[in-house]
Amino acid sequence: MATKLLGERIKRKEDPRLIQGRGHYVDDFRLDGMVHMVFVRSAHAHARIKSVKTDAARAMPGVVEVLTGADLQGKLGLVPCAVAMEGLKIPEHPCLALGEVRYVGEPVAAVIAAEPYAARDAADKLEVDYEPLAAVVDPEKALDKGAPRVHEKFPDNLAFLAKLEAGDWKAIEADAGLKAIKARFVNQRLAPASMETRGVVASYSPGEDTLTVWSSTQIPHLLKTNLAVMTGTDEARCRVIAPEVGGAFGSKLNVYGEEGVACFASKKLGRPVKWIEGRRENLQATIHGRDQINELEVYARPDGLIVGLRCRVIADLGAYHQLLTPAIPTLTALMIVGSYKIPNVFVETKGVFTNKMATDAYRGAGRPEATYIIERAMDLVARELKMDPVDVRMKNFPESKEFPLALATGVTYDTANYQKTLKKVLKLGGYGKLRREQERLRKKGKYIGLGLSTYVEICAMGPSSRMPAGGWEYGTVRVERTGKATVLSGTSPHGQGEQTSFAQIVAEGLGIPYDDVTVYHGDTAVVPLGIGTFGSRTTAVGGTAIHLATERLKKKMARIAAHKLGVKPGELVFEDETIRTPDGSKSMAFAEVVNEAYNATSLPPGIEPGLAEQSVFEPPNYTFPFGAHLAVVEVDAETGEVRLRNYYAVDDCGRVLNPMLVDGQIHGGLAQGIGQALWEEHVYDENGQLITGTFMDYAVPKAPHFSWFETASTETRTPVNPLGVKGVGEAGTIASTPAIVNAVMDALAPFGVRHLDMPLKPEKIWRAIEKGRARAA
Amino acid sequence: MITEPFGYHAPKSLSEAVRLVAQFGADGKVLAGGHSLIPLMKLRLASPKHLVDIGGISDLSYIREDGDEIQIGATTTHFRIESSDLLKTKCPLLPETAGEIGDAQVRNKGTMGGSLAHSDPAGDWPAAILALDAEIQAVSARGERWIPAREFFVDLLATALKGDEILTAIRLPALPSRAGDAYLKLHHPASGFAVVGAAARLVLGENGSIERAALGITGIGPKAYRAAAVESALAGKSPTTKRLEEASAHAADGVDANSDLYASAEYRSHLARVYTRRAIEKALERAQERTDGR
């Protein structure tokens, strides 16, 4: 009997080396003659650069080069933005500031020295003379007439205005029987804060005329194309390697100016140049996430049926566009109805320039904002109509038989059974019992709250027609002469564990041991094509390419075996390292077929020697995983502290290839989503100074902050890909934030508190309770 | 995150360390566990020209009982204190406080003496040390002296240590009979430091009334302090719920409370009152348990 691999808790291939500290990250690469680069960054949110004096820095021991914006002008391309959008304003974004700085942390100069210490000391000697200019920090104020301009040529600070409108709004407005529920939410700015900061080693070989770049990136192939264009290098002479990447969460789905400068410097010096980002730089100048203001109106019938949703979104884009900056808030509009069939939708999104670091993709990227809006709205509707939040949700769910379901937002959800996941989580948490406990405790002056989130997300990005640079993915499966299998993927996993799940797909497909399969990714010289890892796409799109390549290889091997065995290729099965007829009457060892393929002495006509097949999978649609989460919190009414008592998560990410990997994704996602609800906020003061610039102030969630997570799943496969998998990388982050906020607001209901913005810090809650008590008195 | 250049010295004996510290004067800084000083150096907020690492002086790391007293060496790690069976019996406030410091990594590396010498206004040790009326040993080429905790914390990040002195030990009385301690803290979610930390010691009289109360509070003002008004409101009184409540209301009297992104001065003062009351209640409960138990 063959070993079953798909669906099993197979231990990660990645873990032994990572747990023992034997993996290799960018900083572990030390090349002969390598020099080290540090950046001098703007201390001003907005200022004119009057002069940059480099002499003193150049005179410091060990310094080999100092570069300023002027040195790069016309020689190194701009930081790219891949988004095409009607009317989008794209400011020029030089890799080193030219003339003006527009956010704190903007790179102004690069100092390169023989040692990192020497470079850092020399950086302090660089003299930049600034003339401070008025900064605009608040995106609403940025839209006011007469507000300071982030870019002189864009007078209203408006980067884009996007509208999504569907349904009959005249009828909604004329319907006196509808209840209008209004709210304003602030979805605060966050720092992705991956454990490994950014880093790059650029190595130009003048003799070979090749540029090799090691970068902590999620998109080695796209980075290769962009760096080639920026530096004027023949792309065929460019190679990008993403070695171990210590977390990214979307922040490395980008092309950064620092990467461009490293390549430029290496070409100029003819030596390898290394830049490793510090934590402070990481918090300042690696993209930020979220940062939206949402003005919401929901129209509901007295029975809880929601017929209309209108939302005005103000998205703070920061000073410049990074790779996908303007696209992120448009995902909010796309997913704003969540798992509910709301026929009338109006979303107006304003993308606004401010004197802050660019926002871009951070785990969830626009969808956590959508989920927060709709899931908070469901609870506000429930409270307004005096209904249980469960009933309002059930009332608005589509039935599972209605799928595929085209929504007013223009997307078509693939498959779902929302009722099933909700019922399952209610049972898992003992919802009815919890409600009774809540009643009892309230009488004793103790306050627990229950919060639901019945989310849906958009994953497996995506069909190329909807993506800025293609949404397909590449895979190769090769069986070596010794029978070992080599897998190449164009994705670039950085912690998710696809070296494991891809090996499961191939080993089970070919009927060979799991240990005989090795997966490579993240090297453009090894993997011919690729897009990368983001948007919960790696298994659904990249895994499918691997699966299809495996099927092609099997077809070829079956033809070789069938030729030998005198049977039809279609009837052969691959199991236990043999290829045989279903009844086992005729069989060949896997190794024997491999020999036939490579020795090529008696191949059937039309079969080429060797065993390597590739596939490029173009997904016909996104996938739409969903689930139901239930948070139970306890609020200390005397201090406002929130304690997370229980967390129940039922997730449906389609077919599960390895439940352990799914658990890992859910747990990590929950930590980040709960982090946003309770602790995390990236704060600039009114002058544009970042005041949460270290981990002393920016509260990254840590293990002791959490209680045990109870997880469970349902499995609703997608027809979008032959594996039936949907994606799970962002689910926890997307679902948990509103679950927590709903729970805290539920706990605070006796004090008449309707909404508080995140993070739910104890003082905020304490003040709301005090106010409620004063009102009641 | 790279420091400015500095010289590194690792003396093997206290006398050598004392000599180096005297030699470097204002250019030198003593390094123990490095959990306060090194982050400041990496941010280039502190740039000593010389570090004198006392971590390698083996006889500065110990916990010992000496009659009714406990003495702890300056470079004893938080974790060693947290896990000390001797302290769990003889002075349980110390392991309880140690367990609230930072995270496991910090507790494994950070030291009690280093933390006290740094005197962070939100550090945990100052509250406990004040509540226990500990004394702090300072050694220099001029000799040694013991500084009472109440005189040790001078101002924000400033202690009574002179420039040529090294903090070498902490000594404090063991838990007397009919007494109970408690340390309660609200952790800052980012730094792990105390938004408020209240350390209470209560000694009960034979009749169950409060003979003596000592309250050390950290996280509220520029330095940790003894809440004298709370103590005097409790001394000699029977511990009724109302009395504890009223006494605790004075926990932030006369203190210029800090305001930051996480907590305003008003809220911090409120927290000081609530945490003080809760710490006293817990210390009382423990004192009563110990009294009843014998």
Side-chain angles (χ1 to χ4, degrees):
Chain A
M1 184 60 205
T3 321
K4 195 170 151 23
L5 291 168
L6 292 177
E8 299 301 310
R9 292 184 175 267
I10 308 292
K11 281 192 181 172
R12 282 165 35 113
K13 280 183 183 281
E14 294 88 344
D15 281 342
R17 67 175 188 271
L18 295 178
I19 290 168
Q20 297 174 79
R22 290 173 163 190
H24 288 83
Y25 297 84
V26 171
D27 200 18
D28 295 314
F29 290 86
R30 278 146 217 202
L31 307 182
D32 200 32
M34 188 170 79
V35 288
H36 300 265
M37 178 165 68
V38 303
F39 287 93
V40 176
R41 295 177 182 276
S42 172
H44 296 271
H46 197 187
R48 187 163 295 126
I49 301 172
K50 289 165 72 182
S51 68
V52 184
K53 290 195 185 114
T54 62
D55 294 353
R58 282 183 190 280
M60 289 288 283
V63 173
V64 296
E65 184 60 279
V66 178
L67 297 169
T68 67
D71 297 321
L72 309 184
Q73 207 177 1
K75 296 175 192 161
L76 177 64
L78 302 175
V79 179
C81 170
V83 181
M85 214 166 146
E86 206 188 313
L88 176 66
K89 297 187 178 90
I90 302 184
E92 290 196 351
H93 186 184
C95 293
L96 291 175
L98 203 58
E100 249 180 60
V101 287
R102 296 186 174 87
Y103 65 95
V104 166
E106 182 170 355
V108 173
V111 178
I112 301 163
E115 291 293 331
Y117 306 96
R120 176 65 186 84
D121 290 343
D124 275 358
K125 302 289 180 195
L126 198 90
E127 293 166 53
V128 187
D129 191 10
Y130 293 105
E131 178 194 335
L133 300 171
V136 61
V137 177
D138 177 333
E140 286 181 307
K141 286 186 185 151
L143 291 172
D144 287 347
K145 275 213 164 55
R149 296 175 188 181
V150 177
H151 300 277
E152 196 51 41
K153 65 175 179 181
F154 304 134
D156 51 7
N157 291 319
L158 186 66
F160 71 86
L161 173 67
K163 277 187 190 159
L164 187 158
E165 190 168 3
D168 183 359
W169 278 93
K170 285 214 174 76
I172 296 278
E173 278 154 14
D175 191 341
L178 294 179
K179 195 113 193 164
I181 293 124
K182 299 185 182 183
R184 178 191 154 93
F185 303 138
V186 177
N187 208 295
Q188 80 273 27
R189 184 174 278 245
L190 302 176
S194 57
M195 198 180 287
E196 184 206 20
T197 57
R198 288 182 291 150
V200 59
V201 173
S203 179
Y204 177 69
S205 299
E208 289 89 357
D209 186 25
T210 54
L211 177 65
T212 305
V213 181
W214 288 261
S215 183
S216 186
T217 183
Q218 300 172 232
I219 47 166
H221 289 86
L222 297 178
L223 183 61
K224 179 193 65 163
T225 305
N226 277 284
L227 290 176
V229 172
M230 286 164 76
T231 59
T233 310
D234 177 345
E235 190 182 352
R237 297 181 166 276
C238 223
R239 174 183 181 188
V240 171
I241 300 165
E244 300 289 2
V245 172
F249 311 116
S251 74
K252 296 169 183 173
L253 160 55
N254 229 307
V255 178
Y256 284 99
E258 290 92 341
E259 291 169 315
V261 178
C263 295
F264 176 86
S266 181
K267 286 188 87 168
K268 184 160 195 264
L269 299 170
R271 299 173 74 167
V273 175
K274 178 189 270 188
W275 170 64
I276 299 297
E277 185 185 46
R279 180 58 66 190
R280 227 179 169 190
E281 291 182 290
N282 178 262
L283 288 171
Q284 276 183 351
T286 290
I287 63 98
H288 297 160
R290 318 282 188 263
D291 211 348
Q292 288 188 6
I293 298 166
N294 308 120
E295 299 272 0
L296 178 72
E297 292 165 22
V298 176
Y299 295 86
R301 292 193 201 286
D303 63 357
L305 189 75
I306 295 169
V307 295
L309 183 154
R310 179 149 48 196
C311 190
R312 290 193 166 77
V313 177
I314 292 182
D316 188 336
L317 305 179
Y320 300 96
H321 299 328
Q322 282 284 343
L323 196 63
L324 300 172
T325 300
I328 304 306
T330 65
L331 288 171
T332 304
L334 210 59
M335 292 309 292
I336 202 155
V337 299
S339 53
Y340 313 103
K341 224 167 84 176
I342 303 174
N344 303 289
V345 179
F346 175 90
V347 185
E348 180 195 84
T349 307
K350 286 180 178 171
V352 184
F353 291 117
T354 58
N355 288 109
K356 292 188 266 185
M357 179 60 200
T359 50
D360 203 320
Y362 167 56
R363 203 170 190 177
R367 295 108 89 204
E369 295 91 322
T371 307
Y372 186 74
I373 293 165
I374 188 67
E375 289 303 310
R376 281 291 298 126
M378 296 315 278
D379 270 36
L380 289 175
V381 168
R383 193 171 311 182
E384 185 75 29
L385 301 177
K386 300 189 166 55
M387 290 174 70
D388 192 287
V390 173
D391 299 333
V392 176
R393 286 174 167 82
M394 287 292 189
K395 183 88 194 166
N396 289 282
F397 281 155
E399 298 292 330
S400 65
K401 60 177 189 288
E402 293 178 64
F403 291 85
L405 179 67
L407 286 122
T409 43
V411 283
T412 299
Y413 293 178
D414 52 355
T415 49
N417 189 337
Y418 302 136
Q419 291 84 353
K420 193 173 161 189
T421 48
L422 177 53
K423 283 180 191 156
K424 192 160 179 172
V425 86
L426 296 177
K427 197 170 167 214
L428 190 66
Y431 186 78
K433 214 171 136 204
L434 284 168
R435 282 283 177 217
R436 291 190 293 277
E437 185 189 354
Q438 180 179 45
E439 266 319 299
R440 269 200 316 277
L441 288 173
R442 275 180 185 169
K443 286 178 191 137
K444 291 193 218 158
K446 287 197 188 318
Y447 301 92
I448 65 166
L450 313 185
L452 282 169
S453 172
T454 46
Y455 75 98
V456 58
E457 57 160 338
I458 183 167
C459 284
M461 297 193 174
S464 292
S465 59
R466 308 292 292 262
M467 303 290 289
W472 45 266
E473 198 47 88
Y474 172 89
T476 277
V477 179
R478 181 169 80 221
V479 174
E480 311 292 350
R481 276 179 180 266
T482 53
K484 307 284 182 184
T486 301
V487 178
L488 311 180
S489 173
T491 64
S492 198
H494 41 280
Q496 293 85 349
E498 274 89 357
Q499 289 183 357
T500 301
S501 53
F502 289 176
Q504 289 177 258
I505 293 172
V506 174
E508 182 158 310
L510 296 179
I512 60 174
Y514 169 71
D515 288 339
D516 283 0
V517 184
T518 299
V519 179
Y520 291 93
H521 55 73
D523 184 341
T524 63
V526 172
V527 183
L529 313 173
I531 301 288
T533 285
F534 55 86
S536 299
R537 69 189 304 274
T538 305
T539 305
V541 188
T544 298
I546 303 288
H547 166 74
L548 294 174
T550 307
E551 291 303 309
R552 279 183 189 163
L553 194 69
K554 283 173 74 173
K555 208 173 259 177
K556 179 172 183 175
M557 294 184 79
R559 282 185 66 186
I560 296 169
H563 182 67
K564 277 270 163 197
L565 297 171
V567 298
K568 288 202 184 85
E571 62 179 289
L572 293 174
V573 292
F574 290 62
E575 244 176 39
D576 296 331
E577 298 174 80
T578 55
I579 298 168
R580 57 169 175 79
T581 53
D583 61 5
S585 61
K586 290 189 172 178
S587 74
M588 264 178 95
F590 186 82
E592 239 181 299
V593 181
V594 174
N595 279 334
E596 285 293 330
Y598 280 99
N599 294 337
T601 52
S602 52
L603 290 174
I607 293 287
E608 292 175 1
L611 289 175
E613 291 292 336
Q614 61 178 7
S615 169
V616 179
F617 176 60
E618 169 62 43
N621 188 9
Y622 302 105
T623 62
F624 296 85
F626 59 95
H629 289 201
L630 170 63
V632 185
V633 302
E634 203 174 288
V635 173
D636 183 330
E638 209 177 3
T639 63
E641 289 167 71
V642 175
R643 190 175 76 84
L644 179 59
R645 205 178 85 169
N646 307 91
Y647 198 95
Y648 305 98
V650 177
D651 293 279
D652 190 321
C653 58
R655 184 179 177 197
V656 172
L657 301 188
N658 185 334
M660 198 170 66
L661 296 182
V662 169
D663 282 351
Q665 289 298 315
I666 293 290
H667 280 230
L670 290 178
Q672 283 178 311
I674 297 168
Q676 173 169 21
L678 294 178
W679 308 296
E680 292 188 54
E681 57 177 339
H682 224 9
V683 182
Y684 287 86
D685 70 11
E686 70 271 21
N687 302 314
Q689 289 297 327
L690 183 65
I691 55 178
T692 45
T694 73
F695 279 164
M696 289 292 280
D697 302 295
Y698 188 88
V700 172
K702 299 164 197 77
H705 288 144
F706 299 103
S707 58
W708 187 254
F709 299 139
E710 295 268 357
T711 61
S713 62
T714 61
E715 189 170 309
T716 309
R717 295 188 180 196
T718 180
V720 171
N721 61 65
L723 288 173
V725 302
K726 287 192 172 185
V728 72
E730 297 156 290
T733 322
I734 287 169
S736 58
T737 310
I740 296 292
V741 177
N742 283 341
V744 176
M745 294 312 127
D746 183 52
L748 296 179
F751 301 101
V753 180
R754 186 171 173 265
H755 178 73
L756 296 173
D757 279 322
M758 303 178 289
L760 296 172
K761 295 191 283 189
E763 178 165 3
K764 211 180 272 181
I765 293 170
W766 171 69
R767 288 190 184 278
I769 291 172
E770 291 291 299
K771 220 159 124 189
R773 281 183 166 145
R775 256 197 316 265
Chain B
M1 306 285 274
I2 293 175
T3 68
E4 287 189 34
F6 60 89
Y8 174 80
H9 311 269
K12 285 281 165 259
S13 69
L14 181 59
S15 57
E16 194 190 343
V18 162
R19 187 182 57 74
L20 287 167
V21 167
Q23 180 191 328
F24 298 133
D27 285 344
K29 197 91 184 144
V30 175
L31 177 71
H35 274 60
S36 302
L37 182 56
I38 290 179
L40 289 177
M41 289 173 67
K42 286 191 162 191
L43 290 165
R44 300 200 166 201
L45 294 172
S47 302
K49 298 248 181 321
H50 295 277
L51 286 186
V52 180
D53 184 353
I54 59 169
I57 304 171
S58 55
D59 50 359
L60 285 182
S61 175
Y62 59 86
I63 298 169
R64 62 176 171 246
E65 191 180 7
D66 189 4
D68 284 346
E69 275 186 355
I70 305 285
Q71 190 162 319
I72 299 172
T75 62
T76 309
T77 61
H78 308 312
F79 175 73
R80 220 176 129 192
I81 296 169
E82 181 187 0
S83 55
S84 159
D85 289 334
L86 174 72
L87 292 179
K88 281 177 194 166
T89 335
K90 299 286 178 172
C91 195
L93 185 64
L94 295 181
E96 185 173 19
T97 303
E100 295 292 323
I101 296 172
D103 50 39
Q105 290 92 327
V106 169
R107 295 196 292 274
N108 280 337
K109 239 5 223 170
T111 67
M112 187 182 196
S115 170
L116 286 171
H118 181 66
S119 185
D120 192 288
D124 297 291
W125 282 130
I129 292 307
L130 282 164
L132 295 177
D133 281 311
E135 290 178 299
I136 289 150
Q137 189 185 44
V139 174
S140 69
R142 295 173 287 120
E144 66 164 73
R145 62 176 179 134
W146 287 93
I147 310 167
R150 283 201 218 217
E151 295 166 22
F152 186 76
F153 305 104
V154 175
D155 204 345
L156 183 74
L157 302 175
T159 70
L161 286 174
K162 299 269 191 290
D164 63 346
E165 285 179 326
I166 296 177
L167 192 162
T168 47
I170 299 97
R171 77 177 175 205
L172 32 86
L175 185 67
S177 55
R178 291 197 308 274
D181 297 332
Y183 181 64
L184 292 182
K185 171 187 180 181
L186 174 59
H187 294 250
H188 188 287
S191 66
F193 275 94
V195 179
V196 61
R201 162 161 289 186
L202 289 192
V203 185
L204 301 183
E206 301 230 357
N207 59 0
S209 66
I210 300 172
E211 192 174 287
R212 203 173 68 81
L215 255 301
I217 297 175
T218 188
I220 304 295
K223 58 170 184 158
Y225 60 93
R226 279 281 287 261
V230 179
E231 294 171 2
S232 58
L234 292 173
K237 307 286 168 49
S238 72
T240 62
T241 308
K242 190 159 174 277
R243 180 106 57 207
L244 300 192
E245 176 94 41
E246 283 170 2
S248 304
H250 298 291
D253 284 5
V255 178
D256 184 13
N258 301 330
S259 251
D260 60 23
L261 185 65
Y262 195 71
S264 69
E266 185 192 356
Y267 179 60
R268 268 202 164 77
S269 303
H270 168 73
L271 287 177
R273 294 188 278 270
V274 174
Y275 272 78
T276 294
R277 194 199 72 228
R278 291 179 181 179
I280 295 170
E281 285 168 354
K282 201 161 182 184
L284 175 68
E285 196 185 301
R286 287 171 175 172
Q288 287 168 341
E289 268 169 27
R290 286 184 82 232
T291 311
D292 298 344
R294 66 179 50 193

